Amino acid sequence: MAPPEAAKPPTRRQAAAQETRRKLLHAALENFSRRPYGEVTVGDIARTAGVAHGLLSHHFQGKESLYAEVVREIDQQLRAATEFASEGPVVDRLRQHFTAHLRFLAAHEDVALHLVLRRAQATDLASAAFEATREEGVRTICAVLGLDADDPALLLAMRGFGAACDEMSLLWLRNGCPVEAGALAEAWIALLAGSLRAAHALAPRPALREALRTLGQEDAAATADPSPEETPGSRS
């Protein structure tokens, strides 16, 4: 069997195209992190990148597509900075994840305020990217807690949890981070427990009781569950 061919290095033209694309992405990130989407023009981005105006449409099919790409880039950076630890108590892993999330936002405040948290201004393409990120975040937390992210009642509660965390982050940043990131992360764990209790009230599940116990909410887990509502056929 012939050995696989080594990847060919890019041609000079390909390397130039990649560099232009990188410059445009960096310039877009710089502009969109300082001003709302509607205030940034294609010309602003091209001037910042130091490239011809028409190259933006050539590489990104226009401003909307470039904005969505910037959103995806920031989300990738945020995920890399907040990756869950593979070992340790679940509540500690959640605490570390939430704290890292808040510290990333604080370290990239302009990006957080204009790209991560101001999602109401998103275009259709960027909204799809935002939604994909939010869904992935919900599914990751549910997986860590051993919960079914496709459970409709749980999805309602967890989407509410995510929206509340975004709003708290926005106010936290705008007010100069008045509490430590770790303290706010601890509040998010309490908020998460409240969301799980709400999901349990909508549709009692044994897995939700267990998740509450995992979060140190033993009393809530014991009292939130009128067991007659759970039948042997209930989903876990």
Side-chain angles (χ1 to χ4, degrees):
M1 182 175 179
E5 294 185 6
K8 294 182 180 180
T11 65
R12 182 176 299 179
R13 176 176 294 181
Q14 289 170 334
Q18 290 171 3
E19 178 63 13
T20 298
R21 193 177 192 281
R22 185 195 65 77
K23 286 181 179 179
L24 284 166
L25 187 60
H26 181 79
L29 174 57
E30 181 178 337
N31 278 274
F32 289 133
S33 66
R34 292 179 178 175
R35 290 180 290 159
Y37 174 83
E39 295 180 10
V40 177
T41 68
V42 169
D44 293 333
I45 297 169
R47 280 191 294 274
T48 301
V51 302
H53 185 288
L55 287 175
L56 190 150
S57 294
H58 173 73
H59 286 280
F60 291 98
Q61 290 77 52
K63 174 181 153 182
E64 182 180 4
S65 177
L66 179 53
Y67 183 70
E69 188 65 27
V70 169
V71 168
R72 285 189 284 268
E73 171 66 22
I74 291 301
D75 284 338
Q76 288 175 6
Q77 293 181 23
L78 182 56
R79 286 197 298 271
T82 61
E83 189 174 358
F84 273 97
S86 58
E87 297 180 353
V90 168
V91 70
D92 289 345
R93 294 165 63 196
L94 286 165
R95 185 180 293 112
Q96 292 166 9
H97 171 74
F98 292 153
T99 300
H101 182 97
L102 288 162
R103 287 176 177 165
F104 180 94
L105 297 184
H108 305 83
E109 185 172 342
D110 287 342
V111 168
L113 292 175
H114 289 95
L115 285 167
V116 178
L117 300 173
R118 284 192 176 179
R119 304 191 172 195
Q121 298 180 359
T123 64
D124 289 343
L125 282 174
S127 291
F130 283 137
E131 285 301 310
T133 300
R134 174 66 61 80
E135 181 178 354
E136 182 178 344
V138 166
R139 288 186 175 279
T140 300
I141 292 173
C142 287
V144 169
L145 289 167
L147 298 172
D148 177 9
D150 292 318
D151 185 321
L154 179 60
L155 181 59
L156 283 172
M158 289 298 293
R159 290 302 296 265
F161 167 73
C165 287
D166 279 356
E167 185 65 19
M168 292 174 75
S169 298
L170 188 61
L171 293 173
W172 181 67
L173 291 171
R174 285 177 172 171
N175 286 290
C177 305
V179 300
E180 293 291 334
L184 187 52
E186 203 67 44
W188 282 9
I189 290 175
L191 185 62
L192 175 59
S195 297
L196 297 183
R197 286 197 296 272
H200 192 279
L202 292 170
R205 310 289 189 207
L208 288 169
R209 294 202 317 275
E210 185 59 34
L212 286 166
R213 293 190 185 96
T214 298
L215 295 177
Q217 301 288 322
E218 290 87 358
D219 292 342
T223 59
D225 169 40
S227 56
E229 293 185 21
E230 289 192 0
T231 66
S234 294
R235 275 171 37 181
S236 59

